[in-house]
Amino acid sequence: MSQTTAIQAAKLLPAVSDRHVDPHSYPQGIAFLDGQYLPMSQARISVLDWGFLHSDATYDTVHVWNGRFFRLDLHLERFFGGLEKLRMTIPFDREGVTEILHNCVALSGHRAAYVEMLCTRGASPTFSRDPRQAVNRFMAFAVPFGSVANAEQLRRGLHVAVSDKVRIPPASIDPAIKNYHWLDLVRGLYDAYDRGAETALILDFNGNVAEGPGFNVFCVKHGKLSTPAIGVLPGITRRTVFDLCAEAGLAATTADVSVAALKASDEVFITSTAGGIMPVTRIDGAPVADGKVGAITSRLMARYWEKHDDPAWSSPVRYP
Ligand code: PLP
């Protein structure tokens, strides 16, 4: 059973219709590479690409739920911002990238998809060590939707461990450039597994909570929400939580979040394009408050998924 099917079967997220799914479509998804659309298994890059050798790349991920892109404009803005900061150029403007993403999803036939656009530094035709000589490479792909939390974790909340690993500081890499520098996050994950947890949060350079592998974190205390201010990717789902809070009249702010404050929260949840708003009910083996998914978290989760049908927040995939 696919993750989407399991999540829907558990009635945790709204249903996805199969209206456009073509039985001859590509279950593993479709990639766009070197001007061609390919099945995922045929999408390959050179081992000499600096994206692979040096993590010299930027990317963005948007999701499609029930045949609609969610906040694609914000993802494109962040991606093009990353390209500019890394001095990379691609032969497509926003409309061009938008068309490629639509085509990847439409060709794949999927109604619930995880859609990535990325650019690597590429390789130099003369093996030069000068990044200016490299030919930048744009790629995109649409694969089946994936979530950080599975159906059971969405229902009962994730069990998280706080690792002492420190997220790469903003003075080294601007976290607004979405990147593949994940060794700190992966080391944090192994710490979490060693302690019997399901995923990890790691720290900022001041010892406060930063983020986890592929997600931001929020805590709720006395009805007010806060999320780490520094050293984190400004997630689009994090931004969406702020927008939902503004609509709902809830107070939300960016601030330093100490490990002690996190553990003393009334509610904790994580946010990611890969799964949306996902509850956390145990931290380092201890329950968050009464150990149940909190009321504000549940309310925001429902609002978040409702917005996926709202034309102000989502746009339909151009299926054939
Ligand atoms: N933090 C990191 C390190 C991430 O990689 C991601 C997403 O991949 C996030 C946070 C969440 O960002 P978004 O809500 O835009 O998916």
Side-chain angles (χ1 to χ4, degrees):
M1 198 194 286
S2 79
Q3 198 178 33
T4 311
T5 318
I7 287 170
Q8 286 182 94
K11 296 201 178 352
L12 290 159
L13 299 183
V16 171
S17 83
D18 58 3
R19 194 154 48 96
H20 293 282
V21 178
D22 171 350
H24 304 296
S25 69
Y26 297 90
Q28 308 307 322
I30 288 284
F32 173 85
L33 191 63
D34 296 333
Q36 291 185 72
Y37 293 94
L38 304 159
M40 275 312 281
S41 58
Q42 290 175 30
R44 301 195 178 124
I45 62 159
S46 163
V47 290
L48 294 176
D49 192 306
W50 281 33
F52 172 67
L53 293 176
H54 304 306
S55 283
D56 191 344
T58 188
Y59 74 111
D60 216 291
T61 308
V62 55
H63 71 217
V64 165
W65 191 261
N66 205 18
R68 300 177 73 88
F69 278 105
F70 190 62
R71 311 200 92 178
L72 177 57
D73 48 339
L74 298 180
H75 289 277
L76 288 167
E77 194 175 308
R78 188 170 63 182
F79 178 60
F80 276 87
L83 290 176
E84 197 178 325
K85 287 179 192 163
L86 292 178
R87 303 202 201 188
M88 290 178 179
T89 50
I90 61 171
F92 306 103
D93 58 12
R94 282 176 200 222
E95 285 68 42
V97 171
T98 302
E99 192 186 328
I100 291 166
L101 300 181
H102 274 270
N103 290 343
C104 286
V105 182
L107 287 166
S108 79
H110 289 289
R111 301 270 305 167
Y114 182 90
V115 188
E116 192 157 321
M117 60 202 101
L118 66 116
C119 184
T120 64
R121 185 72 58 195
S124 152
T126 60
F127 300 102
S128 162
R129 298 183 73 84
D130 181 343
R132 294 170 300 182
Q133 308 293 321
V135 182
N136 301 163
R137 248 165 158 241
F138 172 79
M139 300 159 232
F141 59 83
V143 293
F145 181 84
S147 169
V148 173
N150 62 29
E152 185 197 342
Q153 293 162 340
L154 280 175
R155 186 173 44 244
R156 54 105 161 123
L158 281 151
H159 299 170
V160 169
V162 182
S163 158
D164 60 2
K165 301 299 177 289
V166 173
R167 187 73 174 119
I168 191 166
S172 302
I173 304 290
D174 173 355
I177 305 169
K178 195 165 154 66
N179 62 70
Y180 294 122
H181 294 277
W182 267 49
L183 292 185
D184 42 14
L185 295 166
V186 172
R187 291 179 73 211
L189 261 182
Y190 276 95
D191 288 344
Y193 299 149
D194 288 347
R195 293 198 241 143
E198 294 161 339
T199 192
L201 283 164
I202 68 170
L203 305 177
D204 72 14
F205 50 92
N206 291 321
N208 293 311
V209 177
E211 61 185 344
F215 53 83
N216 294 112
V217 63
F218 280 79
C219 54
V220 184
K221 189 75 187 173
H222 305 313
K224 295 192 173 126
L225 287 86
S226 45
T227 187
I230 53 166
V232 299
L233 175 77
I236 308 293
T237 324
R238 174 180 181 262
R239 149 98 186 254
T240 299
V241 168
F242 279 97
D243 295 340
L244 294 174
C245 285
E247 273 192 10
L250 288 165
T253 182
T254 57
D256 285 344
V257 174
S258 68
V259 176
L262 183 83
K263 291 183 176 177
S265 299
D266 299 329
E267 300 180 32
V268 174
F269 60 84
I270 60 168
T271 60
S272 175
T273 297
I277 298 172
M278 296 163 277
V280 171
T281 47
R282 286 186 91 78
I283 301 176
D284 287 343
V288 175
D290 64 0
K292 302 211 172 80
V293 176
I296 291 180
T297 306
S298 299
R299 195 167 137 206
L300 289 171
M301 282 172 79
R303 295 291 291 152
Y304 175 81
W305 288 104
E306 275 165 34
K307 294 292 184 191
H308 284 63
D309 291 327
D310 181 339
W313 298 60
S314 66
S315 45
V317 173
R318 298 193 284 260
Y319 292 97

